Amino acid sequence: MKKQYKSLYPRNVAVEQGRPLNYCGIRCCLEVLGGKWKLLIIAELFGGTRRYSVLKRAIPEISEKMLISSLQELEFHAIVVRKVVEAVPPQVEYSLSAYGQSVSPVLETLLGWGEGHISQYSDKIFN
Amino acid sequence: MKKQYKSLYPRNVAVEQGRPLNYCGIRCCLEVLGGKWKLLIIAELFGGTRRYSVLKRAIPEISEKMLISSLQELEFHAIVVRKVVEAVPPQVEYSLSAYGQSVSPVLETLLGWGEGHISQYSDKIFN
DNA sequence: ATACCTACTTACAAAAATATCAGTACCCTG
DNA sequence: CAGGGTACTGATATTTTTGTAAGTAGGTAT
């Protein structure tokens, strides 16, 4: 990984006791799990180890760039594990780390709330 | 409210059974609760009813525009309630609706995971 | 009379996120 | 030997999100 992970909290914010002012668990989640694709990728990986090309086909709307960069950030945060299989053509397998499994309740809760919201307010969402 | 809420899912996506292809609870959450400020505002409102100016002071880094527009979207989605108090100077109170209280587990779970993540990986986050 | 408070709105600018697309290296198949 | 598959990288463009700053209206305090 040449690419350096870039922390999302602004640099001009004061730092207190080792963390930026008002940095909290929610901001951390938004930083680590937020964005358009990461939770969807994680959800897919809860189904098991997936090769790059399989992930791509599982989430067809995602661009390769976003898929790769999301995977790289998740790997940086120790949530996913990247494993190269020496083969021709090359294979790279992505899976959730043991730590990555800890995202499960987050995913479940969000999914549950979201599905409930859709069923109550689909008219507002899909207007 | 003149401002029309704009759904975040792309219009060019095929719709199946009343919802866009691959639309799921997670995407719904990202749409309704996502963004930089909404969950923080909700967290603040879990502390009770707050006037606009009080919210502003509670989250000092937020711009007025973001505060207002976040509140408006949350109101649109029936999560917060806006109440005008006839007084001089004018007062507007924001609070969570009964439905808005249902976000509680989402908030708790995210906060919990995030705080845990910070304590394990603060070196990676605050590099 | 001037400044200031409230809860906003609006136009515009900047920044950040995401998309598009071409290119890479390797080998394999027809 | 052309074409295709794999897992990427990098430049650039577009879109989306967020920020800045000024303005509004009615009233109050100085």
Side-chain angles (χ1 to χ4, degrees), chain A residues 49-108:
Chain A
T49 299
R50 297 279 188 268
R51 289 182 53 189
Y52 173 79
S53 56
V54 174
L55 279 174
K56 217 169 61 179
R57 257 165 279 150
I59 313 175
E61 318 95 304
I62 197 173
S63 69
E64 298 203 31
K65 191 201 167 194
M66 276 295 101
L67 178 53
I68 290 277
S69 66
S70 302
L71 285 168
Q72 286 172 343
E73 285 185 33
L74 292 171
E75 189 190 0
F76 178 87
H77 286 297
I79 290 163
V80 318
V81 175
R82 176 177 179 272
K83 186 180 166 203
V84 179
V85 179
E86 294 296 345
V88 160
Q91 293 185 14
V92 180
E93 290 179 350
Y94 290 94
S95 55
L96 287 179
S97 67
Y99 178 64
Q101 310 274 341
S102 75
V103 180
S104 171
V106 171
L107 209 70
E108 292 292 313

Side-chain angles (χ1 to χ4, degrees), chain A residues 2-60:
Chain A
K2 306 104 226 241
K3 198 174 219 169
Q4 190 56 35
Y5 169 75
K6 176 180 153 273
S7 177
L8 299 184
Y9 74 88
R11 296 295 178 164
N12 55 2
V13 162
V15 175
E16 274 184 355
Q17 294 157 7
R19 53 200 256 188
L21 195 58
N22 298 322
Y23 196 88
C24 63
I26 290 172
R27 271 203 218 274
C28 177
C29 281
L30 288 171
E31 192 169 327
V32 175
L33 305 175
K36 192 167 174 183
W37 302 108
K38 287 193 200 133
L39 283 170
L40 295 171
I41 293 169
I42 292 173
E44 182 62 28
L45 290 179
F46 265 105
T49 299
R50 297 279 188 268
R51 289 182 53 189
Y52 173 79
S53 56
V54 174
L55 279 174
K56 217 169 61 179
R57 257 165 279 150
I59 313 175

Side-chain angles (χ1 to χ4, degrees), chain B:
Chain B
M1 266 217 299
K2 307 105 226 244
K3 200 174 217 169
Q4 189 55 36
Y5 169 75
K6 175 180 155 274
S7 178
L8 300 184
Y9 73 88
R11 297 296 177 161
N12 55 2
V13 162
V15 175
E16 272 185 356
Q17 293 157 10
R19 55 201 255 187
L21 196 57
N22 297 323
Y23 195 88
C24 64
I26 290 171
R27 271 202 217 275
C28 176
C29 281
L30 289 171
E31 191 169 329
V32 175
L33 306 174
K36 191 167 176 182
W37 301 108
K38 288 193 200 134
L39 283 169
L40 296 171
I41 293 169
I42 292 173
E44 183 61 29
L45 290 179
F46 265 105
T49 298
R50 296 279 188 269
R51 287 181 55 190
Y52 173 78
S53 55
V54 174
L55 279 173
K56 217 169 62 181
R57 259 164 277 149
I59 312 174
E61 318 95 302
I62 196 173
S63 69
E64 299 203 29
K65 189 202 166 189
M66 276 295 102
L67 178 53
I68 290 277
S69 67
S70 301
L71 285 168
Q72 286 172 343
E73 284 186 33
L74 291 171
E75 191 193 357
F76 178 88
H77 285 297
I79 290 164
V80 318
V81 175
R82 177 178 178 270
K83 185 180 167 199
V84 179
V85 179
E86 293 297 346
V88 162
Q91 292 184 15
V92 180
E93 290 178 351
Y94 290 94
S95 55
L96 288 179
S97 67
Y99 178 64
Q101 309 274 341
S102 75
V103 180
S104 173
V106 172
L107 209 68
E108 292 293 313
T109 311
L110 284 170
L111 200 57
W113 191 88
E115 290 294 339
H117 189 76
I118 292 171
S119 61
Q120 278 186 65
Y121 293 105
S122 59
D123 52 322
K124 291 205 174 190
I125 305 170
F126 311 134
N127 56 348

